[in-house]
């Protein structure tokens, strides 16, 4: 019988949550008292949006992300809805466009000015009219530009194409009519080709959004589902809900077989909803409890036991809703891998909570920041509607690398998007276009440069001892000389590592180009 150690090696075993100081919180924010089970908060690197209390109609605030401290009670609002606002979501490819849905059965798209708001915004950029009852959920497509999904209390999910000039759109491009009750949650897989939904009839459905067909349906009676989430490229679904005895429960499902969950675990007896968040870069899963101050976090693995508990962030202040900062807005110099924005209505406070990997070095930690989803769409709306699937375009979070601007009119293809990790991209379910890979001539030129750098004089005799030439550079005799030699060797090691990394990137580029060529020739 083989012995298995009780511990598990992981870079994220010691991740801890750190609440922001009072000066970096958002105070005096009139957070909504609505009992609808939603996040009520949306965040991007420029703004934080939060649903607020409003006399007559519905409104939400858009606050610049760096404008912390006390909020002016007369701060302008976005207030064009005639009923309570139930959900808000930022466009993932444009940080100055936000969508909102309301009890007035409409979805509205808003343009947020770059300068500070000076007056209320009441006129939306676009208005989507199709639902006959209140709209409770909206979701942007993860890779296609200007595709929006909305779900209402008429049991329908509507797909909207916003690539039109009309200010009022009354005809969605597709209506998904597969549900017999209210849809409580929607989640896309990595390339947006599949949609998972949780319904009030206790069923999880896996749907092809373009055809409208239900591919899988879970009717497991001992798990009453509330929220469902795709776990990136793991081909698994994660759901939160309640058990037969009304305990809060989490469950893990195989995407290809929803008959029985792979894992089922009761957490506690609280009545608040559990909001799940998944970070596909670190494979970490966060479970946030509504009505309590806890954030549990786990690490997902492809083999059993699948779900590895890491730790729990505890706070005495209960959260009503929660917002999440995209990866491109994190502070990488502090080894921050996730950031929540916690809504505390009892104190009219929004408190940022950073999840941090403890590291001593202040340099960029490449192992905890792999290439991540950027702010440029991989597809146009029409391409996706025509049946094209493509994974998200990836960027590096290394400071100074660029390629994270989210204004479409200024976006240009960046080299860092081209040097994507092959293994990650395979998992994200898409083929990188040949335009996004370096041309063979460019790779040859770079190879020549590497060869020139690596050439050493062949005629000169070399006598090496511990990495240096004993004729040209005699061994150090004093402590100061030894330190200088040590620093020179460290610099040489760093340079060689960079050289190896460049070679690895070029190898992956060639492999990716070969794979794309084989796929393209096979499709013809």
């Amino acid at each position: 019988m083989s012995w298995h150690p009780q511990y598990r090696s992981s870079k994220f075993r010691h991740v801890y949550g750190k609440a922001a100081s009072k000066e970096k919180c958002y105070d005096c924010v009139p957070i909504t008292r609505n009992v609808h089970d939603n996040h009520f908060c949306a965040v991007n690197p420029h703004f934080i949006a939060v649903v607020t209390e409003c006399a007559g109609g519905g409104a939400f605030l858009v606050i610049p992300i760096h404008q912390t401290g006390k909020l002016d009670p007369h701060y302008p609002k976005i207030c064009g809805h005639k009923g309570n606002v139930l959900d808000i979501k930022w466009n993932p490819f444009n940080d100055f466009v936000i969508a909102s849905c309301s009890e007035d059965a409409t979805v509205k798209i808003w343009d947020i000015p770059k300068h500070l708001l000076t007056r209320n915004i009441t006129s939306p950029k676009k208005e989507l009219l199709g639902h006959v009852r209140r709209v409770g959920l909206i979701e942007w497509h993860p890779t296609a530009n200007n595709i929006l999904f909305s779900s209402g209390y008429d049991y329908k999910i509507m797909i909207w194409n916003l690539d039109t000039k009309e200010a009022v759109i009354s005809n969605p491009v597709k209506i998904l009519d597969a549900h017999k009750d209210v849809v409580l949650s929607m989640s896309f897989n990595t390339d947006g080709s599949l949609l998972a939904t949780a319904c009030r009839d206790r069923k999880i459905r896996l749907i092809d959004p373009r055809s409208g067909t239900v591919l899988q349906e879970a009717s497991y009676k001992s798990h009453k589902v509330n929220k469902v989430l795709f776990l990136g490229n793991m081909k698994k679904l994660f759901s939160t809900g309640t058990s037969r005895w009304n305990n809060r429960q989490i469950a893990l499902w195989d995407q290809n077989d929803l008959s029985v969950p792979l894992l089922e675990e009761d957490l506690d007896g609280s009545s608040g909803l559990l909001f799940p968040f998944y970070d596909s870069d670190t494979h970490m899963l966060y479970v946030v409890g509504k009505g309590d101050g806890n954030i549990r976090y786990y690490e997902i693995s492809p083999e059993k036991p699948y779900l590895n508990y890491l730790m729990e962030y505890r706070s005495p202040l209960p959260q009503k809703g929660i917002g999440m900062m995209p990866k491109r807005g994190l502070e990488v110099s502090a080894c921050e891998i996730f950031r929540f924005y916690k809504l505390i209505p009892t104190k009219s406070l929004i408190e940022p909570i950073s999840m941090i990997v403890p590291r001593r070095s202040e340099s960029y930690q490449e192992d905890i920041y792999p290439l991540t989803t950027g702010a440029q769409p991989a597809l146009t709306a029409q391409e996706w509607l025509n049946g094209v699937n493509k994974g998200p375009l990836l960027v590096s979070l290394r400071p100074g690398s660029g390629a994270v601007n989210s204004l479409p009119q200024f976006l240009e293809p960046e080299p860092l998007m081209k040097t994507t990790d092959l293994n990650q991209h395979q998992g994200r379910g898409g083929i990188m276009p040949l335009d996004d890979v370096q041309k063979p001539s460019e790779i040859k030129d770079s190879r020549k440069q590497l060869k020139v750098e690596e050439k050493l004089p062949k005629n000169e005799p070399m006598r090496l001892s511990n990495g240096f030439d004993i004729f040209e550079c005699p061994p150090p005799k004093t402590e100061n000389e030894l330190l200088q030699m040590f620093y020179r060797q460290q610099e040489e090691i760093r340079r060689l590592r960079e050289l190896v990394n460049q070679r690895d990137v070029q190898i992956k580029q060639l492999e990716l180009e070969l794979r794309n060529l084989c796929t393209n020739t096979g499709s013809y």
Side-chain angles (χ1 to χ4, degrees):
M1 183 175 177
S2 61
W3 177 78
H4 295 282
Q6 295 297 313
Y7 63 90
R8 186 179 54 87
S9 176
S10 170
K11 292 177 282 193
F12 306 105
R13 285 176 63 196
H14 304 292
V15 169
Y16 65 95
K18 181 182 178 183
S21 60
K22 184 74 172 177
E23 297 77 28
K24 294 183 180 179
C25 294
Y26 305 83
D27 204 358
C28 302
V29 180
I31 298 166
T32 181
R33 306 283 175 176
N34 196 312
V35 294
H36 194 73
D37 288 329
N38 259 349
H39 297 159
F40 294 125
C41 181
V43 188
N44 69 27
H46 291 91
F47 300 105
I48 175 170
V50 58
V51 180
T52 65
E53 280 293 291
C54 180
F60 61 96
L61 288 169
V62 173
I63 308 167
I65 202 74
H66 299 298
Q67 189 179 322
T68 54
K70 285 190 175 181
L71 187 73
D72 184 351
H74 303 293
Y75 190 84
K77 297 180 175 69
I78 287 85
C79 51
H81 284 287
K82 296 176 183 176
N84 289 330
V85 175
L86 299 180
D87 198 11
I88 47 176
K89 293 280 166 59
W90 289 104
N91 186 334
F93 310 119
N94 190 339
D95 286 345
F96 299 91
V97 171
I98 190 169
S100 63
C101 64
S102 166
E103 290 182 351
D104 62 9
T106 65
V107 180
K108 297 181 190 286
I109 313 298
W110 308 86
D111 267 340
I112 306 301
K114 296 178 189 177
H115 54 78
L116 199 64
L117 287 177
T118 54
R119 57 183 178 82
N120 289 348
I121 297 179
T122 55
S123 301
K125 176 185 178 182
K126 290 183 186 295
E127 190 171 8
L128 314 180
L129 306 175
H131 291 279
V132 295
R133 297 185 66 186
R134 59 179 173 171
V135 187
L137 282 174
I138 46 176
E139 287 287 346
W140 293 91
H141 193 276
T143 60
N145 197 23
N146 287 327
I147 291 286
L148 183 70
F149 284 60
S150 64
S151 169
Y153 278 62
D154 51 8
Y155 311 159
K156 292 181 173 64
I157 296 176
M158 297 189 180
I159 306 175
W160 305 89
N161 180 4
L162 306 183
D163 268 348
T164 57
K165 294 181 180 178
E166 290 84 8
V168 178
I169 305 173
S170 54
N171 294 316
V173 293
K174 183 76 179 176
I175 298 177
L176 307 180
D177 201 4
H179 300 87
K180 298 175 182 177
D181 210 326
V182 178
V183 177
L184 302 175
S185 174
M186 294 189 290
S187 176
F188 290 98
N189 65 341
T190 308
D191 63 359
S193 60
L194 294 173
L195 176 71
T197 63
C199 185
R200 195 173 280 172
D201 63 5
R202 300 189 177 197
K203 292 183 180 180
I204 297 173
R205 292 174 175 86
L206 196 62
I207 302 171
D208 182 341
R210 282 172 292 216
S211 66
T213 54
V214 179
L215 306 175
Q216 290 276 335
E217 187 173 287
S219 55
Y220 190 67
K221 293 182 179 179
S222 67
H223 178 70
K224 185 180 178 182
V225 64
N226 283 322
K227 299 289 179 185
V228 67
L229 188 68
F230 260 104
L231 296 183
N233 53 15
M234 291 281 187
K235 294 193 175 180
K236 291 180 178 61
L237 295 173
F238 179 82
S239 66
T240 65
T242 54
S243 67
R244 287 178 177 175
W245 297 274
N246 278 338
N247 291 325
R248 293 201 293 192
Q249 192 180 60
I250 58 175
L252 194 68
W253 308 79
D254 183 355
Q255 177 183 313
N256 300 316
D257 181 15
L258 298 181
S259 57
V260 179
L262 297 171
L263 181 145
E264 199 175 13
E265 183 182 329
D266 286 11
L267 294 185
D268 54 38
S270 300
S271 58
L273 198 73
L274 293 171
F275 296 117
F277 296 88
Y278 181 63
D279 181 3
S280 58
D281 299 335
T282 60
H283 304 299
M284 283 183 67
L285 175 75
Y286 303 86
V287 180
V288 182
K290 181 182 178 181
D292 58 55
N294 302 343
I295 300 175
R296 299 172 176 87
Y297 40 104
Y298 306 80
E299 194 169 6
I300 303 292
S301 58
E303 295 87 22
K304 287 183 179 181
Y306 304 119
L307 201 63
N308 301 291
Y309 176 78
L310 293 176
M311 204 144 347
E312 182 175 359
Y313 169 82
R314 291 175 178 266
S315 166
L317 299 173
Q319 58 238 1
K320 181 181 181 64
I322 201 95
M324 179 203 76
M325 173 67 80
K327 294 298 283 285
R328 55 195 172 87
L330 299 181
E331 191 178 342
V332 295
S333 60
C335 295
E336 183 184 35
I337 57 169
F338 217 78
R339 190 191 305 162
F340 294 103
Y341 287 79
K342 175 177 169 180
L343 305 187
I344 309 170
T346 54
K347 291 184 173 291
S348 299
L349 186 73
I350 304 175
E351 181 184 49
I353 298 170
S354 298
M355 310 308 292
I356 294 172
V357 179
R359 295 277 175 98
R360 288 186 178 181
S361 175
E362 295 181 359
S363 60
Y364 178 71
Q365 305 292 307
E366 200 157 3
D367 61 322
I368 61 174
Y369 295 115
L371 295 177
T372 189
T373 304
Q376 186 180 14
L379 296 167
T380 64
Q382 199 56 50
E383 283 175 339
W384 183 79
L385 291 170
N386 291 340
V388 181
N389 291 327
K390 198 176 288 187
L393 298 181
L394 306 179
V395 295
S396 171
L397 295 179
R398 183 185 289 275
S401 61
V404 291
N405 190 354
S406 70
L407 284 172
Q409 57 266 32
F410 299 125
L411 281 172
E412 293 179 0
E414 296 282 350
L416 284 163
M417 291 184 187
K418 300 169 187 172
T419 61
T420 182
D421 189 334
L422 177 66
N423 296 330
Q424 284 187 354
H425 194 81
Q426 284 176 331
R428 291 173 193 266
I431 301 171
M432 282 289 287
L434 286 176
D435 298 338
D436 291 347
V437 184
Q438 281 189 344
K439 295 177 182 177
S441 59
E442 295 175 2
I443 296 172
K444 286 177 184 175
D445 293 341
S446 57
R447 275 181 172 178
K448 287 177 183 176
Q449 290 176 2
L450 285 175
K451 285 178 181 176
V452 170
E453 288 178 6
E454 292 174 353
K455 278 183 181 177
L456 290 171
K458 296 179 180 178
N459 299 328
E460 296 182 9
M462 295 287 287
R463 300 290 187 273
L464 296 179
S465 174
N466 291 332
F468 55 85
D469 186 355
I470 59 175
F471 290 122
E472 291 190 2
C473 181
K477 295 177 181 178
T478 64
E479 186 179 352
N480 192 27
E481 288 179 0
L482 185 64
L483 279 173
Q484 288 178 358
M485 180 64 65
F486 171 75
Y487 292 138
R488 277 202 297 270
Q489 286 185 343
Q490 290 292 100
E491 184 63 27
E492 180 67 15
I493 290 169
R494 187 193 61 77
R495 189 187 68 81
L496 290 172
R497 279 179 180 162
E498 287 181 358
L499 205 62
V500 169
N501 288 339
Q502 288 175 11
R503 280 187 158 184
D504 288 344
V505 167
Q506 288 172 358
I507 290 168
K508 288 173 183 176
Q509 286 173 344
L510 288 169
E511 288 176 349
L512 189 58
E513 184 181 0
L514 184 61
R515 183 177 295 276
N516 286 349
L517 283 170
C518 293
T519 307
N520 290 337
T521 52
S523 63
Y524 292 116

